[in-house]
């Protein structure tokens, strides 16, 4: 627990009893038919657990509904849950660029985008996301970004995206609690080390402000400071 000078709790360790989690889930807006279709198909895949958490996706959707971004970038698309969730609420003329290395997983996403009628606003680029991000114009035109791909790439993706964020731009970065493994001193795996390094990198960056929301596996929301 971290206290300020007056003893006020600044950071309370997160834990949510299962009964409370179930209660909240029963109240939260459930998946719509298009989301349900992605969930059903993804659940049959061996990598099903990679799918974006529904509540986290809806939190980002609420932000996007309010922010009305004209250009969204997603790093890590998989079968399309978060991209479909966000693309469906983009304003008229809004575009989304999705980056992934996998053709087979994003073929699933493409089908669901088309079925939901949002494929017209999504561009998918297959290849290492770092190449795609570096190919974007250097100007600050990214209104919203999601990072949800290989954990060892997080700092590099962030470094490419921060200078490209528009003045009111935001980033949502998934898995920053990493199932609690960030706190496990005995865990020195590459991915855990990468998430710890990313979290520390963001916390020390004077260009941005951030808050981690303990939803799903932890989503860190990042905006420009000042
Ligand atoms: C956790 S999943 C993304 C989940 C997705 N956002 C969703 O809504 O379900 C991670 C994705 O990152 C992709 N990925 C892994 N390494 C990558 C890289 N170097 N560049 C781009 N995508 C990558 C994987 O192919 C995978 O589809």
């Amino acid at each position: 627990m971290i206290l300020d000078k007056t003893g006020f709790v600044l950071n309370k360790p997160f834990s949510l009893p299962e009964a409370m989690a179930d209660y909240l889930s029963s109240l939260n807006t459930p998946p719509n038919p298009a989301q349900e279709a992605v969930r059903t198909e993804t659940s049959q895949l061996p990598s099903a657990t990679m799918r974006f958490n529904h509540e986290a996706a809806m939190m980002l959707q609420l932000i996007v509904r309010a922010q009305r971004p004209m250009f969204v970038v997603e790093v890590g698309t998989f079968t399309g849950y978060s991209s479909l969730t966000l693309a469906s609420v983009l304003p008229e003329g809004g575009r989304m660029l999705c980056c992934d290395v996998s053709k087979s997983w994003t073929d699933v996403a493409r089908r669901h985008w088309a079925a939901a009628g949002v494929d017209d606003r999504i561009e998918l680029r297959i290849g290492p996301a770092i190449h795609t991000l570096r190919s974007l114009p250097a100007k600050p035109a990214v209104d919203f970004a999601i990072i949800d791909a290989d954990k060892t790439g997080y700092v590099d993706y962030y470094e490419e995206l921060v200078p490209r964020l528009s003045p009111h731009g935001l980033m949502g970065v998934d898995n920053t609690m990493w199932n609690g493994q960030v706190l496990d001193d005995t865990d020195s795996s590459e991915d855990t080390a990468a998430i710890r390094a990313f979290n520390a990198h963001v916390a020390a960056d004077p260009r941005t402000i951030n808050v981690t929301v303990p939803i799903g596996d932890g989503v860190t929301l990042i905006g420009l400071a000042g």
Side-chain angles (χ1 to χ4, degrees):
M1 191 184 306
I2 301 174
L3 305 179
D4 74 5
K5 287 185 205 133
T6 64
F8 185 83
V9 177
L10 287 178
N11 277 323
K12 190 170 170 299
F14 172 72
S15 76
L16 196 59
E18 201 175 329
M20 178 58 83
D22 289 347
Y23 172 69
L24 295 179
S25 290
S26 75
L27 299 173
N28 290 333
T29 302
N32 64 24
Q35 291 171 318
E36 198 55 63
V38 180
R39 282 160 69 99
T40 302
E41 182 164 355
T42 306
S43 69
Q44 312 301 318
L45 299 174
S47 307
T49 55
M50 290 211 299
R51 179 182 56 74
F52 211 84
N53 172 271
H54 173 68
E55 281 79 12
M58 293 308 287
M59 178 184 73
L60 298 187
Q61 190 198 71
L62 282 166
I63 293 170
V64 163
R65 279 174 187 266
Q67 192 208 19
R68 299 179 60 75
M70 294 310 291
F71 185 42
V72 176
V73 174
E74 176 174 78
V75 180
T77 294
F78 190 45
T79 54
Y81 201 78
S82 47
S83 50
L84 182 134
T85 301
L86 300 195
S88 63
V89 297
L90 286 181
E92 182 79 33
R95 293 186 306 118
M96 182 158 190
L97 174 67
C98 290
C99 311
D100 206 291
V101 283
S102 167
K103 181 173 179 321
S104 57
W105 284 331
T106 55
D107 277 349
V108 177
R110 277 185 197 279
R111 269 194 286 105
H112 287 281
W113 294 336
V118 298
D119 53 331
D120 57 340
R121 64 205 75 165
I122 300 177
E123 180 191 348
L124 173 66
R125 290 213 207 149
I126 301 288
I130 195 66
H131 297 166
T132 304
L133 294 179
R134 286 181 181 152
S135 75
L136 295 178
K139 62 179 190 211
V142 176
D143 301 309
F144 194 85
I146 304 182
I147 300 179
D148 186 22
D150 52 316
K151 308 313 162 198
T152 52
Y154 270 31
V155 169
D156 289 341
Y157 303 144
Y158 173 85
E159 283 301 320
E160 292 302 323
L161 285 164
V162 167
R164 292 180 171 88
L165 275 187
S166 61
H168 300 288
L170 282 175
M171 225 188 278
V173 183
D174 197 27
N175 304 117
T176 50
M177 298 198 308
W178 202 231
N179 199 28
Q181 287 162 249
V182 280
L183 298 180
D184 180 354
D185 293 340
T186 64
D187 185 340
S188 55
S189 67
E190 202 181 15
D191 283 348
T192 303
I195 292 286
R196 283 192 199 113
F198 174 77
N199 289 341
H201 186 79
V202 175
D205 187 349
R207 297 171 300 172
T208 58
I209 56 170
N210 76 90
V211 63
T212 296
V213 185
I215 191 170
D217 192 24
V219 176
T220 300
L221 296 173
I222 300 166
L224 296 174

